[in-house]
Amino acid sequence: MRLHFQINISEALYLKNPEESDLGRKIIKHSIELIHDYGFEYFTFKKLAEYIGTTEAGIYRYFENKHRLLLYIVSWYWNWLSLQIVFQTNNIKDPALRLKKVLNLLAAEVEDDDSTLYVNESLLHQIVISEGSKAYLTNHVEADNKLQIFKPYKDLNAAISEMISACNPKYKYPRSLATTIIEMAHFQNFFMHHLPSLTDFAKEKNDSRIVAFLTDLVFAAIQTNTKGKKE
Amino acid sequence: MRLHFQINISEALYLKNPEESDLGRKIIKHSIELIHDYGFEYFTFKKLAEYIGTTEAGIYRYFENKHRLLLYIVSWYWNWLSLQIVFQTNNIKDPALRLKKVLNLLAAEVEDDDSTLYVNESLLHQIVISEGSKAYLTNHVEADNKLQIFKPYKDLNAAISEMISACNPKYKYPRSLATTIIEMAHFQNFFMHHLPSLTDFAKEKNDSRIVAFLTDLVFAAIQTNTKGKKE
DNA sequence: TGTTCAATGATAGTATTACTATCTTTCTAT
DNA sequence: ATAGAAAGATAGTAATACTATCATTGAACA
């Protein structure tokens, strides 16, 4: 099955749309590879230019700076993931099952999606785990936010939040719980691989354990709350 | 009451111990102010040197680079917080109450502690919220980890993890839940202030709401699990 | 077939950052 | 009175993060 879809990214993120040219697509494809290899701090436009076989100036025609490029690929990921969620929960009626499907999509390893030729989703997933929060953890979050740059992340959050409310309309913290799910799916993965004593998954480093942890956490939270229990 | 205590920080983090000289203490004090004002990305040793009235070279005698300095002050914070937890839970016997106290210490606003003359804990708390995860979200986490650099963070995690297990020895994910608590105490705070639609605290931006959310989440998780319920 | 315009390539240059080196001054402990 | 450590002063380098300009290519249209 080939899914044809539209990734919608704020125009504020680029100077020239990288989807619409060979060089643009090369920038996306190879920046994902290089950020993955070097880490965002040690990734530079100069290295990228050399790797692609173009010049720094060429890259600056597409992106103002490397932070904008990071925002672009991270937005791309959230957008893509939201579409995966739509496709894969489309025919599921039970909201609890829908939510479980989402936990899987968030925390399980991502395979490269062949329908997107210039994006390796598996590498991109790892970038989002390690570098994703740097997208918003800056001095200029609020300015960026005014440019609608975080819309894909917020949309995903809203979608998960609605599923939570569908499971239990009385639960008081659907948005914060959604944020917790998204961030913890990634942080537990990062810790599991790099600082394993901070998790309970040190022995068998397996994504399915993270899914189990998150499932336990989420359903405990929304089920307890049904009873209107209060401390 | 004046509490005299020892902050223990890995020697790998500095070239010369900043606690032991005037200039060293000035570096700590003013780097906290500047990182708070500029954000870590726009903070430089040159700006710091000018602000203090010394030279870049002077700062490099204490810290190899600005990332090490960040690690230093973040470690300092986790160390200080662990001591606060020890002092403030010392005479509480009930593990659930101890845990609640910890949630408060983690998520409530921090006031400057006058017993530490060269550290403004309130500013430092805000830095840890915005920049704390950059301490480990790097290419060189594992090398840093081998130098024991994350010990204060891990110790805090272990302490909270033990409290969770004291509440419910059968709960399967005490470490991951502890990580979740620590990180979410900060992320919810960051989002509440900068991207409020990602939380349920947009209307009344109040730390106590975060404490309530975390309390609900944690006790739901550990109580549900007592029953050995399984999905 | 020639012209035009956009995209890219090639090259150069600047300000700032992230350091390192060296030499001098100051202050403190013996 | 003097040795030694800490700090100040100054200079310099390589890399980063850009900006500017001009030439080349290639497709599109007339």
Side-chain angles (χ1 to χ4, degrees):
Chain A
M1 179 178 60
R2 185 122 185 296
L3 301 166
H4 196 263
F5 54 79
Q6 191 74 26
I7 297 286
N8 247 319
I9 290 171
S10 165
E11 290 182 15
L13 285 180
Y14 51 79
L15 301 169
K16 191 187 301 188
N17 193 340
E19 278 184 86
E20 287 172 3
S21 72
D22 261 7
L23 182 59
R25 287 183 291 266
K26 262 196 208 170
I27 290 171
I28 302 306
K29 179 180 167 69
H30 294 101
S31 68
I32 289 170
E33 293 164 8
L34 279 191
I35 294 175
H36 180 263
D37 290 352
Y38 283 103
F40 185 62
E41 277 70 32
Y42 300 100
F43 163 82
T44 67
F45 276 4
K46 191 167 184 212
K47 286 172 188 162
L48 178 58
E50 275 163 20
Y51 186 48
I52 296 179
T54 181
T55 59
E56 260 184 290
I59 300 179
Y60 279 105
R61 288 194 184 109
Y62 284 86
F63 292 99
E64 251 181 272
N65 54 55
K66 70 174 185 170
H67 188 257
R68 286 286 164 99
L69 173 54
L70 177 69
L71 283 166
Y72 183 94
I73 63 172
V74 169
S75 293
W76 198 100
Y77 181 80
W78 295 124
N79 234 308
W80 175 82
L81 188 69
S82 289
L83 286 161
Q84 296 303 112
I85 290 173
V86 169
F87 295 142
Q88 299 206 28
T89 62
N90 198 22
N91 53 356
I92 305 174
K93 293 285 160 278
D94 178 13
L97 286 176
R98 289 165 64 88
L99 201 45
K100 283 183 189 173
K101 187 81 206 172
V102 168
L103 292 175
N104 243 289
L105 285 168
L106 272 168
E109 205 176 330
V110 170
E111 283 163 42
D112 188 14
D113 173 348
D114 294 329
S115 69
T116 56
L117 294 168
Y118 58 97
V119 175
N120 181 330
E121 284 81 7
S122 174
L123 292 183
L124 184 50
H125 179 229
Q126 290 172 253
I127 291 177
V128 175
I129 288 170
S130 304
E131 323 286 355
S133 46
K134 295 172 193 168
Y136 51 77
L137 290 177
T138 67
N139 234 7
H140 45 87
V141 214
E142 300 192 11
D144 286 350
N145 190 32
K146 281 191 187 128
L147 299 173
Q148 301 268 53
I149 281 174
F150 304 114
K151 191 167 182 300
Y153 185 76
K154 288 177 172 182
D155 286 350
L156 174 64
N157 185 273
I160 297 175
S161 175
E162 275 163 33
M163 289 184 197
I164 292 168
S165 292
C167 287
N168 177 0
K170 285 183 189 158
Y171 181 64
K172 284 178 289 181
Y173 312 105
R175 291 159 187 267
S176 290
L177 185 59
T179 314
T180 303
I181 292 169
I182 298 170
E183 293 300 327
M184 280 307 117
H186 291 165
F187 274 81
Q188 296 295 329
N189 184 300
F190 184 87
F191 289 144
M192 178 171 82
H193 288 114
H194 303 296
L195 300 167
S197 70
L198 295 172
T199 71
D200 301 284
F201 319 124
K203 280 180 192 164
E204 31 160 342
K205 299 187 179 183
N206 195 316
D207 302 311
S208 68
R209 303 290 317 278
I210 299 176
V211 176
F213 163 66
L214 291 174
T215 307
D216 185 88
L217 184 70
V218 170
F219 288 97
I222 61 187
Q223 277 160 23
T224 300
N225 232 256
T226 321
K227 299 162 198 159
K229 200 170 181 176
K230 222 188 157 193
E231 285 294 332
Chain B
M1 179 179 61
R2 185 124 185 294
L3 302 166
H4 196 263
F5 55 78
Q6 190 74 26
I7 297 288
N8 247 320
I9 289 171
S10 166
E11 290 182 16
L13 285 180
Y14 50 79
L15 302 169
K16 192 187 300 189
N17 192 340
E19 279 184 88
E20 287 172 4
S21 72
D22 261 6
L23 181 59
R25 288 183 292 265
K26 262 196 208 170
I27 290 171
I28 302 306
K29 179 180 167 67
H30 294 102
S31 68
I32 290 170
E33 293 163 7
L34 278 191
I35 293 174
H36 180 263
D37 290 351
Y38 283 102
F40 185 62
E41 278 71 31
Y42 301 99
F43 163 82
T44 67
F45 277 4
K46 192 167 184 214
K47 285 173 189 162
L48 178 59
E50 275 163 20
Y51 185 48
I52 296 179
T54 182
T55 59
E56 261 183 290
I59 299 178
Y60 279 105
R61 288 195 183 108
Y62 285 85
F63 292 99
E64 251 182 272
N65 54 54
K66 70 174 185 170
H67 189 256
R68 287 286 165 98
L69 174 53
L70 178 68
L71 283 166
Y72 183 93
I73 62 172
V74 169
S75 293
W76 199 100
Y77 181 79
W78 294 125
N79 235 308
W80 176 82
L81 187 69
S82 289
L83 287 162
Q84 296 304 113
I85 290 173
V86 169
F87 295 142
Q88 299 206 27
T89 62
N90 198 23
N91 52 355
I92 305 175
K93 292 286 160 280
D94 179 13
L97 286 176
R98 288 165 65 89
L99 202 44
K100 283 182 190 174
K101 187 80 206 171
V102 168
L103 292 175
N104 243 289
L105 285 168
L106 272 168
E109 205 176 331
V110 171
E111 283 162 43
D112 189 14
D113 172 349
D114 294 329
S115 69
T116 57
L117 293 168
Y118 60 96
V119 175
N120 180 331
E121 284 82 6
S122 175
L123 292 182
L124 184 50
H125 179 229
Q126 290 173 252
I127 291 176
V128 175
I129 288 170
S130 304
E131 322 287 355
S133 46
K134 295 172 193 169
Y136 51 77
L137 291 177
T138 67
N139 234 6
H140 45 88
V141 213
E142 300 191 12
D144 287 350
N145 190 32
K146 281 190 186 128
L147 300 173
Q148 301 269 52
I149 282 174
F150 304 115
K151 190 168 184 298
Y153 185 77
K154 288 177 172 182
D155 286 349
L156 174 65
N157 186 274
I160 296 176
S161 175
E162 275 163 33
M163 288 184 197
I164 292 168
S165 292
C167 287
N168 177 2
K170 286 184 188 156
Y171 180 65
K172 284 178 290 182
Y173 312 106
R175 291 159 187 267
S176 290
L177 185 59
T179 314
T180 303
I181 293 169
I182 298 170
E183 293 300 328
M184 281 305 119
H186 291 165
F187 274 80
Q188 297 294 329
N189 183 301
F190 184 87
F191 289 144
M192 178 172 81
H193 288 114
H194 302 297
L195 301 167
S197 70
L198 295 172
T199 70
D200 300 283
F201 320 124
K203 281 180 192 163
E204 31 158 342
K205 299 187 178 182
N206 195 315
D207 303 312
S208 67
R209 303 291 316 279
I210 299 176
V211 176
F213 162 67
L214 291 174
T215 307
D216 185 88
L217 184 70
V218 170
F219 287 97
I222 62 187
Q223 278 161 22
T224 300
N225 231 258
T226 319
K227 299 160 200 159
K229 199 172 182 175
K230 219 187 158 194
E231 285 295 330

